[in-house]
């Protein structure tokens, strides 16, 4: 038993050494600078006031422009913004928070903090430090004016000598030499601190006596005696002992504030986050309580859950979890094997607060791909309602050590910090713009001005709205020959059958068809990675695709062959060891099929693998080369606009911020080839490259803390990108009337996913989710639904949504850019609004469209 324990301990030490090597890389330059910064940090000169204001007697005016004034307190780090037009004041910390009756301990200190760091200890456990408890209280804060703003640097923790600063043993020679240099008080302190060991002719540290005042006296005595690091080295050599001093837990971070028009831009440069290598920083959050509303305030918080959601101040929903969502969803290299999620993803990196007299919209400008949006209401941890982003700096995984049948998990950290700064713009809105409608309008204009949203012109030859259709060509299925299992393609829709379906649709007056064709090459829907393109012969081969492309062009149909770039759905022709992203454990990142009945992933089935982002550009080139001869005028990217994954391959890391740039470059290359690019999901970074979007968020996740879903996403992108939600026949809708109302309220187009073959063709395959896709069962209903939606929305083709409001429970009004409005009634009973009656599950239109 003792041998087994010794083997495990030895192995743990070896792994610890290896992981320490990773930690060196993880903290890199930061670790050394952190220690040096800790020794040299000075508070700096007192901040001089550029101007004063009687509204801010406790603060100094440091910067202003035509619209805003920035004030700061150089003792606490707090800042405040005055909107010169509206008179609205926005503070980094709630005034009077020290008297909060609910908050206690660290939760009360956080109310006075401007920045918080979460870091890992030796065991991989998270600890937190904040600028109030660990900087301001110790007077370790320094401010410096910038040309149009302010830089605030915080040191967290104090450099204090501990027991480990005293040598475990001292030779009699050096002990006597030290004693001679001390007065009687010092000699007495040293005598208490060390006991003589006559056998070794040395003195040993008396740890049991070194507490509190005695330790302080002993440290001072040793310092007065002039005992140095060189003396310690000599004692260790002569007396054969080792002593390693634990690194001080000293951290440093800087926030830079800049005024820019009607906005405050707050930035935390990643290079200015310093930490000891033993304590890597997991995440940073700042201005957590900026603009927070108290129990006496009326207001609402905007969170970007799906299409958008509102959380009302002081709702009393403290029995439900606080709001927390990753921007752009889960990184699949970090997902646990059993995880599956049905929540809507965050597609836009925004958040905000709406108060009675003003609002701010927070826009994450840098670091959004590693950000999390957090929000909570009063009554849980404190008396305030607040929303803020946090950012990952270093991620952690686990490695499992197995020695003689005993297992132990040890932390393993990301090699390098994220390669992005963390920057948030707080845009201040007043008057009618202080609303979620005003926020959407501001963000839309912001994206257009920054060329992050395309400007789309209405096609003169097409007045009807698009009808989105996905046809699935084939899937791989398990078959048997003489009892021997093998996999072969199951044909679902041939190219010839696709033409037949389109002809039938046109006969039913379905116009402007946008055809996404999936499962057409390299082995069907779960195709091999696109190193090269080989059209599946079972559905018609290369000539069949050419004919379909020609047929589509001649019939006003836009064809989008569908390609997955980020996922290797089959192991054939894909070497996961060389080409898959690596997890922090060092394994190829695998993703198992979801078992929707159990809401878990099914480990008994074959996984797909996450393609390393470094291969994406190569796959795009080979796809363009392979598709060139088919003359398709569009392409559907199944995952480039929807997923964002890292690669933690040792010494060749690609973090999520770098992966975002790779995906953007890939979509830009496709657009440069004059292809119309159809995306899926619609993360913000993809929007400038897309002409069309499927599976756009059409609601929120329904978290209990949220009070209302809103079409914020649609209000931002409508008029720039054509979009639709999930296919009706595979959605949660059981009532076509409710779907039609949602399309009218959210300005969305109609979408179906079909196959030519009967539904039983996909039964007991890996695609049981395709349970209701035979086109014959849906054609007439689809035509009817399309015509009803088209009757209204063709009048607002490419018009933005300029207004949206809830009139009463289940009744919403949407106003489009040309003045047309739609009022929808989701209720199963008649309602009267604005003096007009609307039947159950119906709508009315109106407005001046001149």
């Amino acid at each position: 038993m003792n041998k087994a324990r010794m083997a495990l301990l030895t192995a743990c030490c070896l792994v610890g050494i290896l992981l320490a090597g990773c930690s060196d890389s993880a903290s890199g330059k930061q670790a050394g600078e952190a220690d040096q910064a800790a020794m040299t940090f000075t508070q700096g000169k007192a901040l001089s006031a550029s101007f004063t204001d009687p509204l801010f007697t406790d603060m100094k005016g440091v910067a202003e422009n035509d619209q805003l004034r920035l004030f700061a307190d150089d003792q606490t780090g707090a800042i405040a913004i005055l909107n010169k037009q509206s008179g609205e004041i926005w503070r980094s910390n709630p005034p009077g928070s020290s008297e909060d009756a609910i908050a206690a301990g660290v939760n009360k200190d956080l109310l006075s903090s401007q920045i918080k760091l979460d870091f890992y200890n030796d065991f991989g456990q998270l600890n937190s430090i904040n600028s109030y408890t660990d900087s301001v209280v110790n007077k370790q804060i320094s401010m410096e004016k910038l040309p149009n703003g302010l830089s605030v640097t915080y040191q967290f923790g104090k450099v204090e000598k501990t027991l480990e600063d005293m040598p475990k043993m001292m030779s009699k020679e050096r002990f006597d030499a030290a004693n001679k240099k001390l007065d009687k008080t010092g000699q007495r302190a040293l005598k208490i601190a060390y006991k003589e060991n006559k056998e070794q002719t040395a003195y040993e540290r008396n740890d049991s006596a070194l507490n509190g005042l005695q330790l302080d006296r002993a440290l001072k005595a040793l310092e007065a005696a002039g005992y140095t690091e060189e003396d310690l080295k000599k004692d260790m050599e002569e007396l054969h002992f080792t002593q390693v001093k634990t690194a001080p837990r000293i951290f440093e971070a800087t926030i830079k504030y800049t005024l820019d028009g009607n906005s405050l831009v707050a930035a935390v440069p990643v290079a200015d986050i310093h930490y000891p290598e033993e304590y890597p920083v997991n995440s940073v959050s700042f201005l957590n309580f900026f603009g927070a509303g108290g129990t006496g305030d009326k207001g609402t918080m905007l969170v970007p859950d799906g299409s958008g959601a509102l959380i009302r101040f002081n709702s009393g929903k403290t029995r439900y979890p606080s709001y927390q969502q990753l921007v752009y969803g889960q990184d699949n290299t970090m997902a646990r094997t059993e995880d599956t999620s049905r929540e809507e993803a965050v597609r836009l990196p925004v958040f905000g607060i709406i108060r009675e007299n003003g609002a701010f919209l927070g826009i994450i400008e840098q670091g959004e791909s590693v950000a999390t949006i957090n929000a909570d209401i009063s009554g849980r941890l404190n008396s305030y309602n607040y929303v803020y982003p946090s950012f990952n700096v270093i991620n952690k995984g686990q490695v499992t050590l197995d020695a003689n049948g005993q297992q132990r998990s040890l932390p393993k950290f990301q090699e390098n910090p994220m390669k992005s700064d963390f920057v948030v713009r707080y845009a201040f809105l007043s008057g009618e713009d202080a609303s979620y409608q005003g926020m959407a309008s501001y963000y839309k204009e912001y994206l257009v001005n920054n060329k992050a949203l395309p400007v789309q012109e209405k096609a003169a030859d097409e007045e009807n709205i698009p009808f989105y259709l996905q046809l699935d060509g084939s899937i791989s299925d398990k078959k048997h020959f003489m009892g021997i299992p093998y996999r072969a393609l199951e044909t679902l829709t041939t190219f010839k059958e696709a033409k037949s379906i389109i002809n039938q649709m046109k006969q039913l007056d379905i116009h402007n068809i946008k055809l996404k064709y999936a499962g057409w090459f390299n082995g069907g829907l779960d195709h091999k990675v696109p190193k090269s393109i080989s059209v599946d012969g079972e559905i018609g081969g290369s000539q069949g695709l050419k004919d379909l492309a020609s047929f589509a062009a001649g019939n006003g149909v836009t064809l989008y062959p569908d390609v997955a770039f980020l996922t290797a759905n089959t192991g054939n022709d894909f070497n996961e060891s060389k080409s898959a992203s690596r997890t922090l454990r060092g394994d190829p990142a695998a993703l198992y099929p979801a078992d929707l009945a159990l809401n878990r992933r099914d480990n008994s089935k074959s996984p797909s693998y996450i393609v390393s982002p470094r291969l994406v550009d190569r796959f795009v080139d080979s796809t363009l080369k392979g598709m060139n001869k088919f003359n398709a005028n569009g392409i559907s990217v199944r995952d480039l606009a929807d997923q964002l994954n890292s690669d933690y391959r040792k010494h060749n890391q690609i973090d999520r911020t770098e992966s975002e740039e790779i995906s953007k470059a890939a979509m830009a290359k496709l657009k440069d080839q004059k292809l119309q690019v159809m995306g899926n999901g619609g993360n913000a970074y993809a929007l400038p490259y897309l002409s069309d979007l499927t599976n756009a968020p059409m609601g929120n996740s329904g978290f209990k803390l949220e009070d209302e879903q809103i079409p914020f996403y649609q209000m931002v992108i409508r008029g720039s990108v054509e979009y639709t939600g999930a296919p009706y026949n595979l959605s949660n809708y059981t009532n076509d009337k409710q779907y039609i109302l949602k399309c009218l309220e959210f300005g969305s187009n109609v979408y179906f996913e079909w196959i030519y073959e009967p539904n039983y063709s996909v039964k007991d395959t890996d695609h049981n989710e395709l349970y209701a896709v035979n086109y014959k069962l849906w054609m007439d209903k689809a035509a009817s639904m399309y015509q009803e939606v088209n009757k209204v929305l063709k009048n607002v083709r490419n018009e933005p949504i300029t207004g949206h409001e809830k009139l009463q429970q289940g009744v919403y009004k949407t106003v489009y850019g040309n003045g047309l409005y739609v009022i929808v009634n989701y209720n199963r009973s008649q309602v009267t609004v604005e003096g007009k009656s609307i039947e159950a599950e119906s709508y009315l239109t109106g407005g001046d469209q001149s």
Side-chain angles (χ1 to χ4, degrees), residues 535-566:
V535 182
D536 297 328
E538 289 85 347
I539 59 173
S542 295
Q543 188 59 50
L545 181 54
K546 285 181 184 178
D547 292 344
L548 178 61
S550 176
F551 170 84
N555 285 272
V557 174
T558 309
L559 175 62
Y560 301 85
D562 181 64
V563 184
F565 292 101
L566 302 181

Side-chain angles (χ1 to χ4, degrees), residues 426-459:
Y426 298 84
F428 302 102
L429 308 172
S430 55
E432 293 184 357
D433 292 333
S435 61
Y436 69 84
Q437 299 90 338
M439 288 176 168
S441 177
Y442 179 92
Y443 187 48
K444 184 182 186 76
E445 184 178 358
Y446 167 88
L447 292 176
V448 170
N449 291 340
N450 286 280
K451 294 182 171 48
L453 198 62
V455 178
Q456 191 176 78
E457 296 183 5
K458 185 174 180 180

